[in-house]
Every structure is written in structure tokens, then in C-alpha cells.
């Protein structure tokens, strides 16, 4: 080591050759908030975006990862959570990926998973079968217990709020 130690290492807030850690963190926190229903993760993502929005407004081309996170706050992506016994969850996921819309993110959650979001645990706890939930942001559909019905609903992506 023939160099002096750095007094300060700047961490860029904007994208360089790789996306900025701030933009990636905001996007991951949003995904986590939508999957768990925990608004604290959503709030943390909004705080990151809020802190850097003036830079993004002045030079949007340097904040691509941040703009992607902003878009996910404004128009959350559709996601499908499939919960049940592992073999059924896997086959449902494969069928939905093959026949569902391209922009759908599928999360297969086996029944024996350590942590399941509360809404899903409550809704599918009484049914021993496989259940699927179509979600946009914090709003998820009522559980769908039939793969055939789910494959009919997917192209329409109709979200009916679950109570």
C-alpha cells in the first residue's frame, strides 16, 4: 500500500457506471413495503427520494435508478403472491408466468415459509389449499383458490380490495 489513507470517500447520490445505492435502496424498500404491508419501508423510500429530488429535477439523466423508484411510488407494479404447499405453488407460478402479463412479478411463498405477510396468513390460514393474491401496491385482491379462475383474471388484472 503505497498511498495515503483517504480522509473522505465521496458516495455519489447519482448514477454512474452502476446505479446509485440510494436509488437501488429506495426501489428495494418499496418492494419490501408492498410485500410485507409495512409502511415504514415505504416511508424510508419516500425519504430517500425526497432528499434527492432536487438533484433529479436538475439532471434527470443522472438519476435513472431514482426515477424508477419514483415511478413505483406513483404507479406500483402488479405482483402476484401465491401461497400454499410447495409443489402446487411452483406449478401455479409457472402457469402464471407463462400465461400472465409480462409486467407481473410472481412471488411463490410456500406454506412452510418462516414469515408470511399478515394479510395472507389470515386469509389462507383456514384453507389448506393454494391461494393467490393479485396486488398493486398495498391493495391485494381477495384470495383466488382456483388456478383456472386465476388464469382468467390475470390478463384483466382486476384488483378487488381484500378486507
Amino acid at each position: 500500500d503505497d498511498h495515503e489513507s483517504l480522509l473522505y470517500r465521496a458516495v455519489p447520490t447519482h448514477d454512474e457506471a452502476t446505479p446509485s445505492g440510494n436509488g437501488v435502496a429506495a426501489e428495494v424498500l418499496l418492494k419490501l413495503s408492498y410485500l410485507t404491508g409495512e409502511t415504514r419501508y415505504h416511508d424510508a423510500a419516500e425519504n430517500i427520494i425526497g432528499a434527492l429530488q432536487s438533484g433529479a429535477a436538475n439532471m434527470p439523466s443522472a438519476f435513472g435508478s431514482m426515477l424508477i423508484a419514483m415511478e413505483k411510488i406513483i404507479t406500483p407494479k402488479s405482483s402476484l403472491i401465491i401461497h400454499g404447499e410447495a409443489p402446487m405453488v411452483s406449478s401455479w407460478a409457472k402457469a402464471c408466468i407463462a400465461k400472465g402479463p409480462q409486467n407481473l412479478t410472481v412471488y411463490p411463498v410456500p406454506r412452510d415459509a418462516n414469515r408470511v405477510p399478515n394479510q395472507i396468513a389470515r386469509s389462507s390460514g383456514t384453507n389448506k389449499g393454494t391461494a393467490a393474491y393479485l396486488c398493486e401496491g398495498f391493495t391485494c385482491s381477495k384470495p383466488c383458490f382456483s388456478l383456472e379462475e386465476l388464469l382468467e383474471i390475470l390478463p384483466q388484472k382486476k384488483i378487488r380490495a381484500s378486507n
Side-chain angles (χ1 to χ4, degrees), residues 91-111:
S91 67
W92 280 38
K94 287 176 185 171
C96 292
I97 289 168
K99 300 203 182 211
Q102 279 187 311
N103 63 343
L104 183 71
T105 304
V106 178
Y107 296 99
V109 181
R111 190 169 304 284

Side-chain angles (χ1 to χ4, degrees), residues 11-15 18-34 40-50 52 64-70 72-73:
V11 178
T13 57
H14 58 281
D15 295 345
T18 58
S20 82
N22 292 303
V24 172
E27 186 177 355
V28 169
L29 285 166
L30 285 170
K31 281 184 183 179
L32 189 59
S33 73
Y34 296 143
R40 63 187 167 131
Y41 300 126
H42 196 275
D43 295 344
E46 284 183 334
N47 288 338
I48 292 169
I49 291 169
L52 301 174
S65 62
M66 184 65 62
L67 294 173
I68 290 170
M70 277 183 178
K72 288 185 179 183
I73 285 180

Side-chain angles (χ1 to χ4, degrees), residues 56-79:
N58 292 332
M59 196 170 29
S61 62
F63 289 85
S65 62
M66 184 65 62
L67 294 173
I68 290 170
M70 277 183 178
E71 180 184 27
K72 288 185 179 183
I73 285 180
I74 296 167
T75 54
K77 221 175 137 180
S78 297
S79 59

